[in-house]
Each structure stands twice: as C-alpha cells, then as structure tokens.
Amino acid sequence: MSEVKETHVHVLEDGTTIEHSHGEHGHHHSHAQTKAVLNRLSRAIGHLESIKRMVEDGRDCSEVLIQLSAVKSAINNTGKIILQDHIEHCIVDAVEHGDKDAIKELERAIDRFMK
C-alpha cells in the first residue's frame, strides 16, 4: 500500500509560508487539550479586546503595557500546551510510522515559537 500525502500550507504573520504533509496514518489535530486551548484562546481574545478599549479610552500607557504582558504570557502558555499535545500525539504517531519530516517540522515550529 503506497502512502498518500496531503499537503497543508500555513502562512505566518510575516508572510512566511510553511508547507507540510501528513501521510494516511490518520493524523489529525483533535487532541485531549483542544477544549482547554480553545478556552484559553477565547479568554486571551477577550483580554486583548479590553486592552484595545483601554487604548481607545486613553488609559495610562503603563497599565496598557502590563495588560499586554499578561496577554503575551497567556498566549505563550497556550502555545506550550499545544506543543506538548503535538509531541504526545502527532510526533509519537509520526515516529511510529517512520515520518522523519514530522521531526523537522517540529524543529521549525519550535524555532518560530521561540522567537
């Protein structure tokens, strides 16, 4: 049985495009932490919207910066959960199926995440 590859393209904020593919081993992005990640992202979005209102209302810059720092921290922590989930599911699955490209993709993703 030949392995079918489905290619995905992701465009980052800076315009960089990343292409990767997954074989027919059933890779998908539904993991144990999906609900927790979505909840965290919703809270961060709400927090960011309140910061936008702070700026619109002319609130003190130092207050805005403190709140932006809190959102950055929340986003970084959410990224850590996604990364852990990715390693526990996608990477384990890729290793079991001999998908060496998945490790290279993980390295690139970590590099981008750490910038």
Side-chain angles (χ1 to χ4, degrees):
M1 180 185 305
S2 67
E3 188 169 291
V4 176
K5 297 275 186 179
E6 179 181 343
T7 301
H8 302 274
V9 178
H10 301 275
V11 179
L12 305 177
E13 281 184 15
D14 66 0
T16 304
T17 58
I18 299 175
E19 286 188 48
H20 65 101
S21 60
H22 305 286
E24 65 180 16
H25 58 267
H27 178 90
H28 56 87
H29 291 97
S30 178
H31 305 297
Q33 299 299 324
T34 299
K35 185 173 180 168
V37 166
L38 292 173
N39 287 339
R40 285 171 175 260
L41 289 173
S42 292
R43 282 194 304 273
I45 289 167
H47 196 163
L48 196 53
E49 288 172 348
S50 72
I51 295 169
K52 180 181 175 194
R53 285 191 299 277
M54 289 174 71
V55 172
E56 290 169 343
D57 295 344
R59 297 278 296 273
D60 182 66
C61 295
S62 59
E63 290 178 33
V64 172
L65 290 170
I66 289 168
Q67 294 306 313
L68 282 172
S69 176
V71 171
K72 273 178 39 177
S73 178
I75 295 295
N76 284 336
N77 287 331
T78 303
K80 289 175 189 176
I81 291 170
I82 292 170
L83 180 59
Q84 180 181 2
D85 216 24
H86 181 63
I87 290 169
E88 291 175 356
H89 295 89
C90 303
I91 298 302
V92 168
D93 187 58
V95 168
E96 289 173 353
H97 291 87
D99 183 0
K100 291 181 173 40
D101 290 337
I103 302 299
K104 291 177 188 169
E105 292 168 16
L106 174 61
E107 290 169 354
R108 284 193 302 267
I110 290 171
D111 183 53
R112 298 293 303 185
F113 180 68
M114 297 301 289
K115 287 186 177 182

